[in-house]
Amino acid sequence: MNDEEMLTAMRSSLTSIKDSLTDVHMHEPPEAIIGRARSRRLRHGLPMVAAGGLALGVGLALTWSSVSSPSTRAVHVNLAAWSVNTTSAGLVDVTIRQLEDPAGLGRTIADAGVPVKVTFGRVCSPPSGDLPELPQVLRKVANGGDLVLTINPAAMPSGTELVIGIGTFRQGSQQVRAAAFSLIKDGSSLNCNDTQNAPGTGGTKAVS
Amino acid sequence: MRTSGVERRQQEFTEFYTSSRDDCLRIVLVSVGDRQLAEDLVAEAFTRAWMSWRKVREHPAPRAWVVRTALNTHVSWWRRRRRELVVDDRTAVTLLDGTQPERSADLDLDEGLAAAIRALPVRQREVITLRVYCGLDTDATAKLLGIAPGTVGAHLHRALATLRTQKQCFSDQGVM
């Protein structure tokens, strides 16, 4: 049996693997793909426009400012409760060890170029659902009990902000620590729910 | 006129994306074995396809172009973090108590054969993927990969030789 015959013999088994994945779908809408390409073109194209001495309108300048700032602002804040560090790749690494000072954490993440709302003890979500870019913007890294997030500011569409809510929930007879994430348009309304034993109102509680 | 041209291209791309995305994702998933990584790679590949749409739309096998681009995309910052948990449900609360995420579709693959494919060297895996899943012949595969048809044959031969060693796996499936 030569290679082509062997390949033919194996083809049905090989393709059956793929064909068995009927429940696997790509949910990202085409608008998200096109939008990502557009923002990437904008990021890469604007410096050349500026170098050519072309006048930029105020709106364009504002857009450039919001897009470029994540990659130009270095932040390295490491506290006992949480850490925020930008990377050379333009990412923002966030580690939360204790649910303390959510406002300070939010400001620090914002300094790193990520518009964000941070809540401890309450979890907020948009009634209209998340923007589809969320999986490209935020990842939660498995790291024991600490909450470790990697945020890609460049993947955030213009005019959006991240919502991070962390709290303690009752699951049966147990208390479990949990987090919820959303990506919303600026100014979008949010439905917020207080979590049980909200650490933000009842003192600091370790995420471990 | 320019606006209508842009809109027409956008409509073409949207139709291509809508009709191809699931198939491309499944092909890449078989090859990389990680649902989230596969989605990232395919999304990135389609993004590049749209950015180069004038070229891709003229390509004889645009779907294969996307698959090949996905497999070659260096999503380095995601790949460095391959042990990440996935935000499966964007609106759901994600537990932080160290529990494992729910079984994802990649775990439902035929692990024996799929693992054997994934264990192949990158170029051999590309050849198998393009020949089997994208339906390209040797010449088209060679052109897409930028290598000689004879080299495609050599990679195919080595890949099949490796896969043949998985006799037990294949015999269980009635292949050998």
Side-chain angles (χ1 to χ4, degrees):
Chain A
M1 185 181 287
N2 64 28
D3 287 340
E4 289 298 326
E5 290 168 340
M6 182 64 190
L7 187 62
T8 301
M10 289 179 54
R11 191 179 296 272
S12 65
S13 290
L14 291 168
T15 53
S16 69
I17 298 173
K18 176 176 77 76
D19 294 341
S20 68
L21 301 173
T22 53
D23 59 338
V24 173
H25 299 284
M26 187 89 182
H27 297 293
E28 194 156 5
E31 294 78 15
I33 299 286
I34 292 171
R36 186 186 301 122
R38 185 180 297 126
S39 64
R40 194 173 297 177
R41 279 199 191 102
L42 187 65
R43 273 204 313 281
H44 294 165
L46 278 175
M48 288 187 290
V49 173
L54 298 178
L56 296 177
V58 172
L60 193 58
L62 288 173
T63 303
W64 169 235
S65 172
S66 67
V67 171
S68 64
S69 58
S71 60
T72 56
R73 187 70 180 267
V75 171
H76 297 283
V77 177
N78 294 283
L79 306 176
W82 41 260
S83 302
V84 178
N85 288 283
T86 52
T87 74
S88 58
L91 308 179
V92 181
D93 289 336
V94 179
T95 300
I96 301 172
R97 290 172 286 273
Q98 299 174 356
L99 304 186
E100 188 174 333
D101 189 15
L105 175 60
R107 281 195 301 273
T108 306
I109 296 174
D111 285 345
V114 179
V116 67
K117 280 189 174 72
V118 178
T119 58
F120 289 166
R122 8 180 21 214
V123 171
C124 302
S125 60
S128 56
D130 286 308
L131 297 175
E133 293 84 356
L134 179 62
Q136 282 74 49
V137 172
L138 180 141
R139 295 299 169 90
K140 187 167 76 68
V141 182
N143 186 29
D146 293 345
L147 175 60
V148 181
L149 307 173
T150 296
I151 303 169
N152 180 11
M156 294 181 71
S158 179
T160 61
E161 64 180 341
L162 200 58
V163 179
I164 300 173
I166 306 167
T168 304
F169 293 77
R170 181 179 297 281
Q171 188 176 68
S173 60
Q174 293 184 322
Q175 298 287 338
V176 294
R177 297 167 185 87
F181 314 102
S182 297
L183 183 67
I184 62 171
K185 289 185 178 176
D186 286 343
S188 297
S189 62
L190 290 170
N191 292 333
C192 298
N193 296 307
D194 289 337
T195 61
Q196 297 180 34
N197 294 342
T201 56
T204 301
K205 196 176 189 70
V207 181
S208 59
Chain B
M1 291 295 287
R2 175 178 170 74
T3 300
S4 66
V6 170
E7 288 175 350
R8 189 177 64 250
R9 285 195 295 277
Q10 190 162 319
Q11 185 176 355
E12 287 174 355
F13 175 78
T14 298
E15 290 171 1
F16 167 66
Y17 174 74
T18 304
S19 64
S20 307
R21 59 183 173 183
D22 287 350
D23 203 41
C24 290
L25 175 60
R26 291 164 190 169
I27 292 171
V28 173
L29 176 55
V30 170
S31 188
V32 303
D34 181 312
R35 171 69 179 270
Q36 188 60 42
L37 176 62
E39 288 194 23
D40 289 342
L41 294 174
V42 172
E44 173 64 18
F46 273 111
T47 301
R48 294 185 186 187
W50 171 237
M51 294 179 77
S52 304
W53 183 240
R54 282 189 178 88
K55 179 182 77 173
V56 175
R57 68 194 289 267
E58 302 296 335
H59 195 278
R63 192 173 299 201
W65 187 97
V66 169
V67 170
R68 198 259 170 157
T69 300
L71 294 179
N72 281 277
T73 297
H74 297 292
V75 193
S76 56
W77 64 285
W78 287 144
R79 284 186 173 177
R80 285 197 299 271
R81 295 167 170 81
R82 289 189 64 170
R83 304 308 302 170
E84 296 168 354
L85 293 178
V86 176
V87 183
D88 289 311
D89 183 341
R90 297 166 193 170
T91 59
V93 167
T94 306
L95 299 184
L96 303 182
D97 61 359
T99 56
Q100 295 298 309
E102 291 181 1
R103 283 172 62 88
S104 55
D106 51 299
L107 297 178
D108 295 329
L109 292 174
D110 182 312
E111 279 303 328
L113 188 53
I117 295 170
R118 292 198 295 268
L120 293 172
V122 172
R123 191 61 103 184
Q124 293 178 29
R125 196 165 67 228
E126 284 180 334
V127 168
I128 287 288
T129 299
L130 294 174
R131 291 295 316 273
V132 174
Y133 296 121
C134 297
L136 301 189
D137 61 19
T138 299
D139 289 342
T141 302
K143 190 172 182 181
L144 185 57
L145 295 178
I147 58 180
T151 308
V152 171
H155 284 304
L156 180 64
H157 179 81
R158 292 183 193 127
L160 291 174
T162 302
L163 294 176
R164 279 192 192 106
T165 63
Q166 311 294 320
K167 284 180 182 294
Q168 185 59 47
C169 170
F170 292 154
S171 62
D172 287 347
Q173 299 172 66
V175 177
M176 298 184 71

